């Protein structure tokens, strides 16, 4: 904001704002509105600027909260906005800047006021403020609930019907943001909102028929990633074809009114941050996630979630199910490209999770792609930089991998994709490696990070489940990936021995003392043995299903054969160790027969020959390792706070005073 910050401080004394929030009722037909709405500025798109704006206008907002029951000026402003939007679509097509300009300004003021109203009162009180009329101070109108519904419906129509042009970009962004603000009542409640007036309007009545169009438009806004046009695009431009008069009238109206309110206005340069992102795409995605996570109504499931669960590819010619009126079609190729490109953000990863988990059409399409590495690599990069990500982003990335690895076709195909020079993988230079081997490396690294830092059993479980799902289809494992599998087992073995030793020492020390309770080493031992058991099952699954495809794993197994000695007679591992022990003994014998001081190449050659000769019927068959992702019984307890934490922390979200927030308990990374 820079030099404009001093001008912002003058807003509380602005005569038009003071009149709006004063004790005098203003009719919706009063010329005052033309004067109030004739200002030019670039909409703030970061919380810092919006914080300054809120601090400067809080006194005006408080005054309006106090005086509105007598004046009904909030309702008048909304009616003015509604009247301005009636010709908005035609105005956009005809490049008529006047209607768009004033409608945008009216909506911006409404949005700012609404945010303060929602943060300071209940939904019931807010509803009353929409009912006050200026006919008589304190009187109630007959269409008490219609104004909220009409405004919500108007915002949705604006989003889905107004073409996205440079001159309409700002008002489209403002409409999306205002809907987020309408739904932000959730931020000010400690519990999940299950009975909400705003939710009722959006899931019933006049808004309901727009469900699929709204979801589709928000998805396309995300797909298109349209950058914000240069500042001033939405303001009047001098025209040579008779537009000069219109420009002159507008300039005359604006002169001397809100000139203090420029917020980086016409002619200012866009910040580098804004040049690199799309505020509309980001806000649209946030609104989509919020709508998809509204709690179901008692008599109706969430229609926005239904739409997300059922939309199809534009190339899919099958008929829609009559049981879902909210289904629609969208270009899956464009959606896939956008998802691949945007995975650095939490919200894009969360959208990918929702689509893979809830929409079978999307999941089938993604798994059929021949360029699956474009999607998987960004997910692996999230996990690789685990220390830089918040835990929820990491969870979503892991669950996405778990969902993908439920498919055997995916598990086979990722070993056929050969990658060159993975620059972000720093532990070792990987000039050539399969996508499958890289996935194994990154998941194992995540497990090791978790063991030393967060120690989260849930994260362990998901990592191991993904490896287990893949294990039967391991193919041509990279030597480094094979080494890391055995190294992880080595780390677990050492941890097991350490916990066992601690338990033994603690037990000995307790024989002569009853002063303090014993640490629960038995539970720790049980957890570590569960993990060791799963690692042994993963190794065993690979050996029994694809031993001849993985000489590098057999090599690593033989190199570290001493690790497995202690588990051979352990009651928890005896059964699963039979096959591993058989493989170690068989290949050790063949190496001994070949002589001493063998080269790595010669050892691998002997392993490949032995893999053909090993009698497969000697290997004991175990049930196939398959793990499916199952969502928690009350997913909203996780997802609703998570989504609102993303809204709260978004670079282009509205500023909310952190002291007012009650639901916001998720970490921000």
């Amino acid at each position: 904001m820079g030099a404009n910050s001093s001008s912002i401080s003058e807003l509380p004394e602005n005569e038009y704002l003071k009149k709006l929030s004063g004790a005098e009722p203003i009719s919706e037909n009063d010329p005052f509105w033309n004067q109030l709405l004739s200002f030019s500025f670039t909409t703030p798109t970061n919380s810092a600027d919006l914080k300054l704006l809120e601090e400067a206008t809080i006194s005006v907002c408080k005054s309006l909260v106090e005086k509105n029951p007598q004046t009904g000026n909030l309702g008048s402003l909304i009616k003015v906005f509604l009247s301005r939007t009636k010709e908005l679509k035609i105005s956009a097509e005809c490049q008529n800047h006047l209607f768009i300009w004033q409608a945008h300004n009216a909506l911006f003021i409404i949005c700012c006021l609404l945010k303060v109203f929602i943060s300071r009162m209940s939904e019931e009180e807010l509803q009353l403020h929409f009912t006050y009329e200026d006919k008589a101070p304190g009187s109630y109108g007959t269409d008490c609930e219609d104004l909220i519904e009409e405004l919500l419906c108007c915002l949705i129509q604006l989003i889905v019907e107004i073409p996205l042009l440079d001159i309409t970009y700002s008002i489209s962004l403002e409409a999306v943001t205002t809907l987020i603000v309408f739904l932000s009542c959730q931020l000010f409640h400690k519990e999940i909102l299950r009975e909400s007036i705003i939710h009722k309007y959006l899931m019933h009545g006049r808004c309901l028929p727009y469900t699929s169009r709204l979801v589709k438009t928000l998805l396309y806004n995300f797909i298109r990633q349209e950058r914000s046009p240069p500042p001033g695009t939405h303001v009047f431009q001098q025209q040579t074809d008779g537009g000069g008069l219109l420009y002159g009238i507008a300039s005359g109206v604006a002169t001397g009114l809100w000139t203090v309110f420029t917020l980086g206005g016409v002619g200012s340069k866009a910040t580098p941050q804004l040049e690199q992102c799309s505020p509309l795409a980001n806000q649209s995605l946030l609104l989509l996630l919020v709508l998809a996570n509204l709690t179901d109504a008692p008599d109706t499931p969430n229609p926005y979630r239904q739409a997300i669960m059922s939309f199809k590819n534009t190339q899919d010619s099958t008929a829609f199910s009559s049981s879902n009126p909210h289904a629609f079609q969208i270009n899956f190729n464009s959606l896939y490209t956008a998802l691949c490109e945007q995975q650095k953000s939490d919200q894009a990863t969360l959208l990918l999770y929702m689509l893979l988990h809830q929409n079978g059409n999307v999941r089938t399409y993604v798994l059929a792609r021949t360029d699956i590495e474009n999607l998987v690599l960004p997910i692996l990069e999230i996990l690789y930089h685990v220390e830089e990500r918040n835990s929820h982003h990491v969870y979503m990335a892991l669950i996405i991998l778990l969902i993908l690895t439920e498919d055997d076709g995916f598990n086979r195909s990722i070993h056929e994709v050969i990658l060159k020079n993975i620059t972000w993988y720093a532990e070792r230079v990987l000039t050539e490696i399969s996508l499958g081997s890289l996935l194994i490396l990154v998941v194992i690294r995540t497990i090791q990070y978790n063991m030393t830092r967060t120690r989260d059993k849930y994260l362990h479980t998901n990592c191991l489940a993904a490896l287990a799902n893949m294990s039967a289809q391991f193919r041509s494992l990279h030597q480094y990936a094979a080494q890391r599998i055995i190294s992880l087992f080595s780390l677990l073995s050492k941890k097991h021995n350490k916990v066992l030793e601690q338990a033994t020492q603690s037990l000995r020390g307790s024989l002569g003392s009853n002063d303090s309770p014993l640490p629960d080493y038995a539970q720790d031992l049980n957890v570590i043995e569960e993990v060791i058991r799963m690692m042994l099952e993963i190794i065993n699954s690979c050996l029994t299903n694809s031993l001849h495809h993985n000489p590098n794993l057999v090599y690593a197994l033989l190199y570290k054969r001493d690790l497995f000695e202690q588990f051979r007679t352990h009651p928890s591992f005896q059964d699963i160790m039979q096959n591993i022990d058989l493989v170690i003994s068989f290949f050790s014998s063949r190496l001994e027969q070949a002589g001493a001081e063998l080269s790595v190449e010669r050892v691998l050659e002997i392993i490949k020959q032995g893999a053909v000769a090993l009698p497969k019927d000697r290997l004991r068959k175990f049930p196939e390792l398959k793990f499916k992702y199952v969502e928690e019984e009350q997913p909203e307890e996780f997802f609703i706070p998570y989504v609102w934490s993303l809204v709260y922390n978004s670079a282009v979200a509205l500023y909310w005073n952190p002291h007012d927030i009650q639901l916001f308990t998720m970490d921000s990374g």
Side-chain angles (χ1 to χ4, degrees):
M1 193 169 291
N4 289 324
S5 57
S6 59
S7 298
I8 290 292
S9 63
E10 299 174 30
L11 285 176
E13 302 305 317
N14 181 276
E15 58 177 301
Y16 297 96
L17 287 180
K18 289 174 74 173
K19 183 174 180 180
L20 174 67
S21 60
E24 177 189 349
I26 307 170
S27 166
E28 59 192 274
N29 300 314
D30 196 302
F32 162 81
W33 299 110
N34 281 329
Q35 299 168 327
L36 174 72
L37 302 179
S38 297
F39 59 89
S40 302
F41 69 98
T42 300
T43 304
T45 53
N46 63 72
S47 295
D49 286 358
L50 282 156
K51 180 180 179 181
L52 291 176
L53 177 61
E54 179 178 279
E55 290 173 348
T57 56
I58 193 66
S59 60
V60 172
C61 294
K62 285 182 177 179
S63 177
L64 185 62
V65 169
E66 180 184 343
K67 302 287 181 26
N68 188 63
Q70 287 75 44
T71 65
N73 285 344
L74 175 64
S76 295
L77 172 61
I78 292 169
K79 290 173 183 176
V80 169
F81 166 71
L82 293 173
S83 68
R84 294 288 198 278
T85 60
K86 288 178 181 177
E87 304 297 329
L88 212 53
K89 186 175 181 179
I90 297 175
S91 299
E93 293 171 352
C94 299
Q95 297 284 305
N96 185 338
H97 293 242
L98 179 60
F99 273 90
I100 299 170
W101 180 42
Q102 290 205 339
H104 168 269
N105 290 351
L107 184 54
F108 178 78
I109 297 173
I110 290 169
C111 188
C112 292
L113 294 173
L114 191 61
K115 181 173 67 71
V116 175
F117 273 61
I118 286 176
S119 68
R120 294 177 178 273
M121 62 186 66
S122 67
E123 282 190 302
E124 290 75 15
E125 292 173 300
L126 177 68
Q127 191 175 29
L128 285 176
H129 274 276
F130 275 77
T131 69
Y132 297 129
E133 298 280 356
D134 61 357
K135 297 173 183 176
S139 65
Y140 294 84
T142 56
D143 56 344
C144 56
E145 294 186 4
D146 290 346
L147 197 55
I148 291 183
E149 185 173 36
E150 194 169 347
L151 178 56
L152 287 169
C153 201
C154 176
L155 293 173
I156 293 173
Q157 289 173 333
L158 196 158
I159 293 168
V160 302
E161 293 180 353
I162 303 301
L164 186 57
L165 309 169
D166 278 358
I167 60 171
T168 62
Y169 188 97
S170 291
I171 193 168
S172 296
L173 174 59
E174 208 61 52
V176 172
T177 302
T178 305
L179 277 178
I180 293 175
V181 171
F182 253 121
L183 290 159
S184 68
C185 294
Q186 179 63 86
L187 278 173
F188 308 97
H189 289 77
K190 292 181 180 179
E191 304 297 330
I192 302 297
L193 280 180
R194 302 184 188 280
E195 296 287 338
S196 165
I197 295 170
I198 305 302
H199 294 186
K200 183 186 71 173
Y201 280 123
L202 287 171
M203 294 199 285
H204 297 275
R206 293 174 55 192
C207 295
L208 185 61
Y210 292 96
T211 296
S212 58
R213 292 178 65 190
L214 178 58
V215 171
K216 184 176 182 177
T217 303
L218 295 175
L219 276 172
Y220 268 126
N221 286 347
F222 166 70
I223 289 169
R224 292 170 67 177
Q225 292 290 317
E226 291 284 353
R227 296 186 180 185
S228 181
T233 306
H234 64 290
V235 185
F236 296 104
Q237 307 295 328
Q238 187 82 41
Q239 301 177 15
T240 57
D241 54 348
L245 178 61
L246 180 62
Y247 174 83
I249 293 173
S251 298
V253 173
T255 301
L257 300 182
W258 274 53
T259 51
V260 296
F261 195 2
T262 54
L263 296 186
V266 183
S268 68
K269 296 181 68 174
T271 64
Q273 180 185 9
L274 290 182
E275 290 173 354
Q276 297 172 6
C277 71
S278 169
L280 179 60
N282 188 75
Q283 292 291 76
S284 294
L285 179 52
L286 290 173
L287 176 58
L288 183 65
L289 294 174
V290 169
L291 290 171
N293 285 281
L294 297 180
T295 54
D296 294 333
D299 54 342
T300 315
N302 181 340
Y304 302 97
R305 190 182 304 124
Q306 282 190 309
I308 287 173
M309 291 171 62
S310 58
F311 70 82
K312 301 190 302 184
N313 194 355
T314 49
Q315 297 179 352
D316 187 344
S317 58
T318 59
F320 286 108
S321 170
S322 58
S323 62
N324 188 354
H326 307 298
F328 61 92
Q329 289 181 301
I330 201 168
N331 187 307
F332 276 18
N333 184 58
S334 300
L335 177 61
Y336 181 81
T337 301
L339 288 168
C340 292
E341 292 175 349
Q342 300 300 320
Q343 286 307 306
K344 288 185 179 180
S345 74
D346 275 74
Q347 44 266 43
T349 305
L350 181 54
L351 175 64
L352 175 59
Y353 156 76
M354 286 173 52
L355 295 178
L356 288 175
H357 177 50
Q358 299 179 359
N359 190 313
N361 300 319
V362 173
R363 184 168 59 253
T364 300
Y365 176 86
V366 168
L367 290 169
R369 292 285 301 204
T370 57
D371 60 348
I372 193 67
E373 68 274 14
N374 290 339
L375 186 70
V376 175
L377 281 172
I379 298 299
L380 295 183
E381 198 167 352
I382 293 169
L383 294 176
Y384 184 80
H385 297 293
V386 58
E387 64 279 355
E388 300 171 15
R389 305 290 181 182
N390 69 67
S391 61
H392 313 300
H393 199 182
V394 172
Y395 277 139
M396 290 299 103
L398 270 178
I399 293 170
I400 287 168
L401 288 185
L402 180 56
I403 292 171
L404 293 174
T405 59
E406 291 172 13
D407 182 77
D408 286 342
F410 171 84
N411 295 330
R412 285 190 295 270
S413 66
I414 56 176
H415 293 287
E416 298 169 1
V417 178
I418 305 301
L419 307 169
K420 307 279 188 180
N421 300 317
I422 307 301
T423 55
W424 47 262
Y425 194 94
E427 276 82 353
R428 178 166 172 159
V429 176
L430 300 175
T431 54
E432 186 172 291
I433 189 171
S434 71
L435 179 61
S437 289
L438 181 64
L439 195 158
I440 292 167
L441 285 174
V442 173
V443 171
I444 287 176
R445 185 180 183 274
T446 306
I447 293 173
Q448 291 178 322
Y449 175 85
N450 185 51
M451 287 175 65
T452 57
R453 303 285 185 89
T454 56
R455 300 179 182 179
D456 186 328
K457 183 181 177 181
Y458 183 75
L459 191 144
H460 263 348
T461 302
N462 282 287
C463 286
L464 291 169
L467 290 177
N469 285 346
M470 296 168 57
S471 58
Q473 279 83 33
F474 283 172
R475 294 289 188 277
S476 304
L477 289 183
H478 191 280
Q479 60 179 12
Y480 186 52
Q483 290 170 16
R484 297 309 295 161
I485 291 173
I486 304 303
S487 295
L488 175 58
F489 185 81
S490 175
L491 185 64
L492 292 167
S493 177
K494 290 175 183 176
K495 190 172 181 66
H496 177 268
N497 293 339
K498 182 179 179 180
V499 173
L500 194 60
E501 183 181 349
Q502 288 173 334
T504 304
Q505 290 177 351
S506 177
L507 186 61
R508 287 173 182 167
S510 68
L511 294 177
S513 172
N514 294 317
D515 295 339
S516 58
L518 285 173
D520 194 356
Y521 288 115
Q523 184 177 353
D524 292 344
L525 200 60
N526 184 55
V527 170
I528 193 70
E529 286 184 356
E530 283 181 8
V531 177
I532 288 174
R533 169 81 190 190
M534 201 159 178
M535 278 302 299
L536 288 172
E537 288 179 341
I538 289 167
I539 295 170
N540 178 72
S541 175
C542 177
L543 296 178
T544 54
N545 289 284
S546 54
L547 182 146
H548 58 292
H549 288 299
N550 293 290
N552 284 325
L553 181 62
V554 176
Y555 184 99
L557 199 63
L558 294 172
Y559 190 75
K560 292 285 188 178
R561 71 191 79 177
D562 294 344
L563 281 174
F564 299 89
E565 287 290 336
Q566 62 177 307
F567 300 107
R568 185 176 296 164
T569 57
H570 194 293
S572 298
F573 312 118
Q574 272 183 320
D575 59 337
I576 204 73
M577 277 298 302
Q578 290 179 22
N579 286 344
I580 296 172
D581 195 33
L582 172 63
V583 169
I584 290 174
S585 299
F586 177 82
F587 285 99
S588 295
S589 174
R590 294 181 73 90
L591 290 174
E592 287 173 5
Q593 294 172 13
E597 298 183 5
L598 300 172
S599 66
V600 173
E601 291 76 14
R602 179 57 183 151
V603 171
L604 286 171
E605 184 182 342
I606 293 169
I607 290 172
K608 290 175 184 177
Q609 293 170 352
V612 178
L614 177 66
K616 303 296 188 294
D617 57 353
R618 292 177 59 187
L619 295 173
R620 178 181 170 184
K621 291 293 183 182
F622 286 85
E624 184 182 4
L625 292 179
K626 271 300 171 187
F627 294 88
K628 291 182 71 70
Y629 168 68
V630 179
E631 199 169 67
E632 297 293 326
E633 289 185 8
Q634 291 185 304
E636 65 270 14
E637 300 294 338
F638 173 86
F639 286 104
I640 291 177
Y642 181 28
V643 168
W644 278 106
S645 74
L646 298 180
V647 175
Y648 180 89
N649 289 293
S650 171
V652 293
L654 283 169
Y655 168 77
W656 276 283
N657 190 327
H659 300 297
D660 296 333
I661 304 302
Q662 296 186 49
L663 180 77
F664 180 64
T665 57
M666 312 291 276
D667 66 77
S668 57

